[in-house]
Amino acid sequence: MFKKILVANRGEIACRIARTCRRMGIAVATVHSAADRDALHVREIGESLEIGPPTAAESYLVIERIVDAARRLGADAVHPGYGFLAENPAFATALRDAGIAFIGPDPEVLARFGNKAAAKQEARLANVPVVPGTETPSSSVDDIVSAVDGMQLPVLLKAAAGGGGKGMRVSQSRASLRADVEAAMREGRSAFGDPSLIVEEYLPHARHIEVQILGDGRGEVIHLLDRECSLQRRHQKVIEEAPVTSIPPDLRQAILDHAVRLGRAVNYLGLGTVEFIVKDSRAYFLEVNPRIQVEHPVTEEVTGLDLVELQIRAVADGRLPLPQDAVAVRGVAVEARVYAEDPASGFLPSTGRVGLLRLPDTVRVDTGIESGASVTPYYDPMVAKLIAAAQDRETAYDHLASALDDTVVLGVTTNVDFLRKLATDKSVLANDVHTGTIEDMLAANPPVRWSFPRDAAIAAVLWLQTRRSRAASDAWSGWAGHTGWRLGDGTSPIASAPALRLTCGDACHDVRFGAIEPDGAIGVAVGEDRWRIRVSFPAGTVVAEVDDQTYSLDVHLEDGRACFSRAGRSAWFSVEPYLSGTLLTSDGSGDGQVRAPMMGRIIAVEVEVGQPVAAGERLGLMESMKMEMTLAAPFAGTITEVACAVDATVERDQRVFSVAAE
């Protein structure tokens, strides 16, 4: 058995692997980038080596630095987790050459399965049906465009070295094909260091089924059941469950057999996942992920097995830790991925500091951050995974929905409300879903921000309360400078002029106040709506009394922002004094200022000062969290300022272009 394992990863998976290592009596260490010096995985594991600047390309993806870190920290094995170098054969080879074990398949198998094109070739040789398309990867835009010329649209462009939904795009038309290919290649290069693509026939309204396999590296392979992963968006899984209950037993057994046969054909070692697309009662091989999966906890919950331990033991001992007949299922488990992203803005990642994080204790929770941590633009914006288990699907989803009600994340925007809707959706509960279900739901009912006048009024009072606590306690300071009132002498009329402007997305609330009453309450008006609001702090909690209703709140306040959660729902607002002279719409478009939606890197500037532009025309591109975002003109006009350059790093809300209206 290994004496010390280096976890060459970050976030929740690094913490997860470390817990099993310690339980097995194995010493553990990790690595971190400059951006992760204060990360939870660094502090929780307790021994870490800094390996480079914030970007993954300069730290977590640099093979030589990881190998050197393993040597310096005295590790005799490296666990790659998922993502980064987990599927890189050159990494496994470098470790082998250094006399350090790689907890995963042999480099030769990684080369055959880590590359999606080579994996399709292996599947065909093992007599496993494959999705029609190309099997030779290419990094030439012209070659990929030519390959698509002989196929029927739409097609799926897939990063050959990819995984986790990165570097995948559906191309719908010949007109956008070249741009789609170029974008997929950029994403592949950014996420995996390899821009090469393959092309496959796109199969809409299908199911995504995967099988967990475990091999000893000498031809013995078993399966650890299967998982339903059809609830996904942009090829990235959102909710997963185990075991699969949506397809006929004979088809399910055939898929399990396909996965095991493919693993045996290549003498697979360790954990792996064989993925299939199921369409019209037929199963097609999709890809192999030769590593542990994000969704592995649902398999652990229904089998009672620790997959990380099985993975370590299979590699260390060269034999299977258990036979096939020891794998049994008990109940159903579902997992929801909580991300720092804004569903109302096309699920744009949300960067910033997590002012408050409260996760439920009623279900299993895997997380890699905590209150006070920052979500940076350099890595995947996952906050946590919630895993609920029960004897049946309906109860498991009930537990998941309740756990989401108890989840509070303030300071960044998350998809918690969206996950709650999914977990209670009738089609989801009926298991009547496919890979396009979420996109169909979004098209029918686009997400909106939780932004109501009452919440704006509460947020305004909370924001003023912080200013009052910072100021002197006399009646001529504190709130007075913001409300427009002075001495509080009882109930008063509400001022006619707004004191604050609160914005949330496209919603704008101008807030007016009355004088402060003897008990600390204050009259508040937003438009024609009026309330009497009193905020108090009993026993370290925050309570808002709004007329005759009382709310217990979780609150996070910072300069220019007020965030709070009540009744399981979160709300956030930007706050500005009404007469500050700096009021803008939330995206700056009201005055022609185009601002960066989040921290990131400018990768293209496509206009210059004096150039006329149309409404919605692309001005440039920025990259953050391995995603590309378009910076577009808010209206027709002329470019008056280009305040950015290619490769420049920009902060959230930083002005990057200015447009003068026609």
Side-chain angles (χ1 to χ4, degrees):
M1 182 50 65
F2 304 123
K3 297 186 183 308
K4 188 172 187 178
I5 291 176
L6 175 74
V7 182
N9 216 294
R10 65 179 302 279
E12 59 87 18
I13 190 59
C15 297
R16 161 73 189 90
I17 294 167
R19 287 194 294 271
T20 289
C21 289
R22 289 204 174 96
R23 185 178 57 76
M24 295 175 67
I26 302 171
V28 63
T30 189
V31 292
H32 65 274
S33 71
D36 276 342
R37 287 170 185 161
D38 298 321
L40 181 61
H41 81 278
V42 174
R43 290 184 292 104
E44 189 170 293
I45 292 175
E47 184 179 16
S48 185
L49 193 65
E50 187 166 321
I51 54 172
T55 63
E58 298 175 286
S59 53
Y60 294 105
L61 288 172
V62 181
I63 293 174
E64 295 78 10
R65 292 179 185 172
I66 304 287
V67 175
D68 180 64
R71 285 198 192 100
R72 291 173 60 185
L73 293 168
D76 54 348
V78 170
H79 196 306
Y82 55 73
F84 295 136
L85 294 171
E87 302 179 41
N88 191 309
F91 180 47
T93 298
L95 288 171
R96 183 170 63 184
D97 292 344
I100 301 169
F102 175 76
I103 300 177
D106 294 334
E108 295 76 16
V109 173
L110 278 178
R112 296 154 81 179
F113 277 164
N115 183 284
K116 308 312 176 192
K120 286 184 68 175
Q121 296 169 9
E122 293 294 340
R124 192 184 297 279
L125 290 173
N127 199 30
V128 176
V130 299
V131 178
T134 65
E135 294 182 9
T136 302
S138 176
S139 58
S140 166
V141 175
D142 290 337
D143 287 351
I144 297 297
V145 170
S146 296
V148 175
D149 284 342
M151 301 176 65
Q152 181 175 350
L153 294 177
V155 295
L156 180 63
L157 306 171
K158 183 187 293 186
K166 301 291 193 304
M168 295 176 66
R169 290 197 172 220
V170 176
S171 188
Q172 302 278 2
S173 72
R174 307 281 175 190
S176 66
L177 176 60
R178 180 170 291 272
D180 293 337
V181 171
E182 291 172 346
M185 286 185 174
R186 284 194 299 268
E187 290 173 6
R189 182 183 293 107
S190 174
F192 313 108
D194 184 353
S196 59
L197 304 178
I198 60 172
V199 185
E200 291 181 344
E201 178 183 332
Y202 179 58
L203 300 175
H205 300 99
R207 283 188 180 268
H208 187 138
I209 306 296
E210 63 186 31
V211 178
Q212 183 74 73
I213 62 171
L214 179 70
D216 66 358
R218 297 180 295 176
E220 286 299 317
V221 175
I222 63 173
H223 69 76
L224 305 176
L225 300 175
D226 45 14
R227 296 186 285 257
E228 173 81 58
C229 302
S230 298
L231 284 172
Q232 52 187 253
R233 189 188 63 81
R234 294 180 185 170
H235 315 293
Q236 196 137 21
K237 298 158 190 174
V238 178
I239 289 182
E240 306 100 341
E241 65 181 80
V244 172
T245 58
S246 61
I247 59 177
D250 57 342
L251 178 58
R252 183 184 177 216
Q253 187 60 53
I255 292 174
L256 294 171
D257 293 343
H258 285 330
V260 170
R261 185 167 67 253
L262 184 55
R264 287 174 176 166
V266 298
N267 294 329
Y268 194 86
L269 174 63
L271 279 183
T273 301
V274 186
E275 306 203 3
F276 297 86
I277 201 81
V278 177
K279 176 76 171 175
D280 300 329
S281 299
R282 296 187 63 186
Y284 301 92
F285 169 80
L286 199 58
E287 63 186 29
V288 173
N289 287 309
R291 52 171 169 78
I292 196 165
Q293 293 276 90
V294 176
E295 60 270 22
H296 77 275
V298 293
T299 296
E300 293 183 326
E301 292 300 308
V302 299
T303 62
L305 302 170
D306 184 328
L307 267 61
V308 174
E309 178 178 355
L310 296 181
Q311 183 182 26
I312 293 172
R313 291 193 182 281
V315 174
D317 301 337
R319 59 184 176 83
L320 292 177
L322 75 171
Q324 183 68 72
D325 59 12
V327 180
V329 65
R330 54 181 190 189
V332 175
V334 292
E335 173 184 294
R337 304 184 186 190
V338 177
Y339 279 97
E341 60 185 10
D342 186 358
S345 294
F347 293 86
L348 190 71
S350 176
T351 55
R353 191 173 73 89
V354 179
L356 176 65
L357 176 65
R358 193 183 70 218
L359 298 170
D361 57 9
T362 54
V363 297
R364 171 176 169 176
V365 175
D366 286 8
T367 186
I369 69 171
E370 59 187 346
S371 294
S374 293
V375 178
T376 73
Y378 306 112
Y379 317 113
D380 187 89
M382 182 184 289
V383 173
K385 302 183 302 193
L386 308 186
I387 306 99
Q391 288 301 308
D392 55 75
R393 286 187 77 251
E394 182 179 2
T395 307
Y397 271 95
D398 282 346
H399 290 342
L400 179 62
S402 295
L404 289 164
D405 282 339
D406 293 335
T407 300
V408 176
V409 188
L410 298 178
V412 294
T413 306
T414 72
N415 64 340
V416 169
D417 287 349
F418 175 69
L419 291 173
R420 188 183 294 108
K421 291 176 183 176
L422 272 182
T424 56
D425 182 80
K426 291 182 179 179
S427 63
V428 172
L429 296 178
N431 212 351
D432 182 19
V433 299
H434 52 75
T435 54
T437 292
I438 288 181
E439 298 296 350
D440 291 346
M441 293 171 63
L442 293 172
N445 295 290
V448 295
R449 289 186 179 86
W450 196 48
S451 174
F452 302 109
R454 178 188 296 247
D455 297 313
I458 295 172
V461 175
L462 290 168
W463 190 84
L464 287 178
Q465 180 70 48
T466 63
R467 298 311 184 265
R468 185 186 193 190
S469 64
R470 293 176 186 175
S473 58
D474 64 88
W476 297 96
S477 59
W479 297 30
H482 296 287
T483 65
W485 291 88
R486 292 296 185 262
L487 292 174
D489 56 357
T491 302
S492 64
I494 290 178
S496 58
L500 295 175
R501 172 167 287 179
L502 276 71
T503 55
C504 178
D506 296 329
C508 179
H509 306 282
D510 291 341
V511 184
R512 295 173 287 124
F513 297 96
I516 306 165
E517 299 175 15
D519 66 351
I522 186 171
V524 187
V526 179
E528 298 300 317
D529 297 318
R530 298 180 178 227
W531 305 271
R532 180 182 183 273
I533 299 178
R534 178 176 178 269
V535 174
S536 59
F537 306 90
T541 62
V542 181
V543 173
E545 300 170 48
V546 184
D547 293 338
D548 59 352
Q549 292 182 283
T550 300
Y551 302 105
S552 179
L553 307 178
D554 292 294
V555 177
H556 172 64
L557 302 167
E558 58 188 52
D559 287 342
R561 278 171 64 90
C563 314
F564 70 90
S565 176
R566 68 170 174 86
R569 302 297 195 276
S570 297
W572 67 265
F573 297 89
S574 296
V575 185
E576 295 175 296
Y578 188 78
L579 298 178
S580 68
T582 62
L583 295 177
L584 300 172
T585 58
S586 61
D587 61 357
S589 62
D591 63 352
Q593 295 186 19
V594 179
R595 298 178 180 273
M598 60 187 297
M599 184 181 178
R601 182 174 66 91
I602 299 296
I603 60 174
V605 175
E606 301 178 353
V607 293
E608 58 186 23
V609 173
Q611 179 177 331
V613 293
E617 181 175 338
R618 192 168 78 181
L619 310 181
L621 288 172
M622 66 175 290
E623 179 187 61
S624 184
M625 295 179 179
K626 304 174 186 175
M627 293 176 55
E628 286 188 3
M629 285 156 281
T630 297
L631 301 167
F635 41 66
T638 302
I639 299 295
T640 58
E641 180 185 26
V642 176
C644 61
V646 174
D647 286 331
T649 297
V650 293
E651 300 293 331
R652 181 173 65 181
D653 293 330
Q654 180 177 329
R655 186 177 71 253
V656 287
F657 298 99
S658 294
V659 182
E662 288 183 342

